[in-house]
Amino acid sequence: MAAPRRRRTAAPAPASDIARRRMERRQASGRRSDARWAEILAGAGRVFGRLGYGQSTLEDVANEVGIRRATLYYYVGTKEELLVGLLHEPIETMRTRLEEVADLPVSAPERLEAALREYVRTMAELPELFIFLSENVHQVMSGPEADHIRDNADRYGRTLAEVIRSGAKAGEFRTDIDPSVAVLGIIGMFNWIHRWYNPEGERSLAEFGDDFIKMALSSLEPAKKR
């Protein structure tokens, strides 16, 4: 989630009346509170998680929700739009929680630990994030809402790097590793939890997180502490 993402040019606005109404509905301020829209997003999350984003179709989502495909087209015109709608709030939640932790009046190691615990907690609460982490879905996202998702991911990386940078300046972390590189390594490790985590397995998501947090903190310890 920390690496900057390549931006894609938004597609031109559709011309048909159906597409126009769909765009108006997407842009309406109340869409995110619409019960049917929430139901569609939940169904898309289940389908993408079960089949994988690349293998899923809008028809799969319509069948999951129990609506006609024509009804689904009233809300979205492409699978990409569903993906963007599904990830918009979870990615923003992840970023805002980190920024709250980063402002705590405690040491950098304590802030880093708290930030990574929030990362794991958010993944547990919002499993649709696993869709973002399991595939290179950023490559198919375009438009202003997709740019917002990428901006949140970039801000997350910069904020976490600043926590590590402040710890290095205070002598709490080692100084021979670029904080931005450290973030790539740490977040890369956490992002791959989805490869090993099994909801029905012996280890919980929190247990994976605990071990990874220990590894992350120990890797940044100054030489005098190692």
Side-chain angles (χ1 to χ4, degrees):
M1 204 170 120
R5 303 303 186 186
R6 178 170 59 88
R7 296 182 182 276
R8 297 171 65 93
T9 302
S16 72
D17 287 342
I18 293 177
R20 176 180 54 77
R21 289 195 298 271
R22 186 171 60 242
M23 179 167 287
E24 289 173 352
R25 186 166 185 81
R26 288 203 307 272
Q27 294 174 343
S29 60
R31 190 184 77 157
R32 290 195 179 92
S33 63
D34 184 275
R36 175 53 63 85
W37 175 238
E39 185 181 6
I40 289 172
L41 288 182
R46 293 191 298 271
V47 170
F48 294 164
R50 186 170 66 245
L51 303 180
Y53 175 76
Q55 300 301 315
S56 302
T57 67
L58 285 178
E59 187 170 358
D60 292 328
V61 175
N63 291 336
E64 178 76 17
V65 179
I67 59 177
R68 294 183 303 162
R69 188 167 175 173
T71 301
L72 182 60
Y73 277 155
Y74 180 65
Y75 287 82
V76 291
T78 67
K79 185 174 62 171
E80 174 194 343
E81 293 176 34
L82 269 181
L83 179 67
V84 171
L86 186 66
L87 295 177
H88 182 276
E89 292 186 12
I91 297 294
E92 184 164 327
T93 296
M94 185 80 81
R95 189 264 306 166
T96 55
R97 287 181 176 179
L98 169 65
E99 290 180 343
E100 290 173 0
V101 168
D103 288 337
L104 293 175
V106 296
S107 69
E110 289 175 301
R111 282 182 285 145
L112 179 59
E113 178 177 355
L116 295 177
R117 290 198 184 282
E118 283 297 310
Y119 196 95
V120 175
R121 180 172 78 90
T122 306
M123 284 196 292
E125 291 180 1
L126 304 170
E128 53 266 41
L129 286 168
F130 283 102
I131 300 168
F132 182 79
L133 301 177
S134 64
E135 304 182 50
N136 293 324
V137 294
H138 63 278
Q139 295 179 355
V140 302
M141 296 191 300
S142 62
E145 286 190 321
D147 289 342
H148 186 70
I149 290 175
R150 279 186 285 268
D151 289 343
N152 271 309
D154 291 346
R155 286 174 62 181
Y156 188 99
R158 291 194 299 270
T159 300
L160 200 61
E162 185 54 38
V163 170
I164 296 174
R165 187 173 292 109
S166 68
K169 289 181 180 178
E172 298 167 324
F173 289 143
R174 59 194 298 173
T175 59
D176 59 333
I177 297 179
D178 185 325
S180 297
V181 174
V183 167
L184 293 177
I186 292 171
I187 294 303
M189 178 170 62
F190 276 78
N191 285 355
W192 274 67
I193 287 180
H194 75 273
R195 294 287 187 181
W196 306 301
Y197 171 60
N198 178 356
E200 299 178 358
E202 296 181 358
R203 295 180 62 83
S204 68
L205 198 62
E207 288 174 328
F208 272 115
D210 286 343
D211 286 346
F212 284 1
I213 288 169
K214 293 175 185 176
M215 293 167 64
L217 290 174
S218 64
S219 70
L220 291 172
E221 286 183 352
K224 62 183 179 181
K225 293 186 178 181
R226 292 201 298 272

